[in-house]
Amino acid sequence: MGTNGGQIDRRDVIKAAGAAGTAGLVGLAGCSGGGGGGGGESEYPELGNYPIEGDTATFGFNVPQSGPYASEGEDELRAYELAVDHLNNGGGWVDSQFDDLSGDGVLDYQIDSVSGDTATDADTARQSASRMIQRDEVIMVTGGSSSAVAIAVQELCQRENTPFMACLTHSNDTTGQNCVRYGFREMFNAYMTGQALAPVLTDEYGDDLQFYQLYADYSWGQTVQESMNQFLTEAGWEEVDSVATPLGTSDYSSYLSEAANSGADVLLLDHYGLDGATSVSQAVDAGLDEDMELVVPLYNRPMAEAAGAAIEGVFGTVAWDSQIDNTPSQEFLQAFQDEYDRIPSGPAQLAYGQTLQYAAAAERAGTFYPPEVIRQLEDYEYDNVGMGPETMRGCDHQAQRDVPVVRGLPESEQAEGQYFEIINVTGRDELGYACDAGPAGECELGEYGDE
């Protein structure tokens, strides 16, 4: 259910061989890439943790199991474990959406996994990923709920020649100035949130308004502040001020008091996870919503659940939501519910999809040799993860995809797994930027490692 810019994949080779007869198959076998299960012979040199020894390939799941983004990490880990089960035993998208996958392992290897706790801290995450690569010999790393974490880990993976399939990371820098050849991102970025959200906010609240921003003081919050300022200013609004807040802040009262006295019409709370739930709840408790409109640029289900009634009427964007009514989305919802008896979050959908995307790319490449897997991901077109047609762009490894805009529901209408209504799904043709513009203009991917 995808194409790779005209490149011939492993299935095409097999079909061609079949048409040519048995002799043709023998002649083509040496061209199909790396060896099969059991660490067979390969035409490729050693690189990173390739070739794999034994008959098991190990994936590394590096997620926040403590810290302000721990709820997101718990749901990511559920989805990662579900993906491994489906890769080995069939089920979910492996059976229905990914033609390259068989449900009998990947490239004749059974898939195993190890997990680590990033603690929502870049240094901790880097150490965890390094252990996975050096001790556990993982062939791929995925995870993250903090852009600082994702950037740190993908830089490590670039040095170690180990592909990194970023899960939740929203900073422009991940596929902008900090992009790497070995990193890929399905999640849209802050720039795209600004593009999707600004028209909705101006339509809802009017023109010529003043806004104030509180933002998390690290890569993600900084680029959200920059992008929202850019697109709201272009729409005719004026930023009164923007103030950085430390990650993990538990008391926003002094920051909120300054915002309330600013005279601004709209307050943007550029916080996420537990921080986002805390800041919006404290803003409502302090009565700021009586004189100012509140906006949370990036939502997710655990965050909305923790904030409860405070999110009523509050606009934002989400990675994915179970309300999205298409076949892949509903299949994932059903598979996750069957396994865990709970509604999956957007971070869970990202985790599940990125694991299968990597596995499918390895199948198309016919090998786990990292440069060949990377080449199969670059400029790959797909429509199988519930967000419509997408392209994993080759120039910056940023998915070109739709962005859902949502508004928080009143507490009386909230139910398990449903905390906001989808206002608009902004199509990818209305979003994004050229390879020499926006965040991509600062991207230099680096080497494949086989030059």
Side-chain angles (χ1 to χ4, degrees), residues 83 164 194 204 383 416:
F164 176 66
E204 181 73 16
D383 185 5
E416 182 182 357

Side-chain angles (χ1 to χ4, degrees), residues 29 31-36 40-44 50 107 365-369 372:
C31 300
S32 64
E41 293 295 327
S42 170
E43 65 180 276
Y44 300 110
Y50 177 88
L107 296 172
T367 177
F368 283 114
Y369 183 61
E372 293 304 312

Side-chain angles (χ1 to χ4, degrees), residues 63-65 69-82 145 167 300-302 305 320 332 336 340 342-352:
V63 303
Q65 299 178 53
Y69 297 167
S71 293
E72 287 77 12
E74 290 173 1
D75 223 30
E76 290 171 18
L77 196 55
R78 293 183 187 101
Y80 283 133
E81 293 170 350
L82 185 64
S145 281
C167 184
N300 66 41
R301 185 192 56 76
E305 182 178 13
W320 172 88
F332 173 63
F336 196 93
Y340 299 113
R342 60 186 290 132
I343 304 292
S345 63
Q349 183 263 357
L350 289 170
Y352 184 77

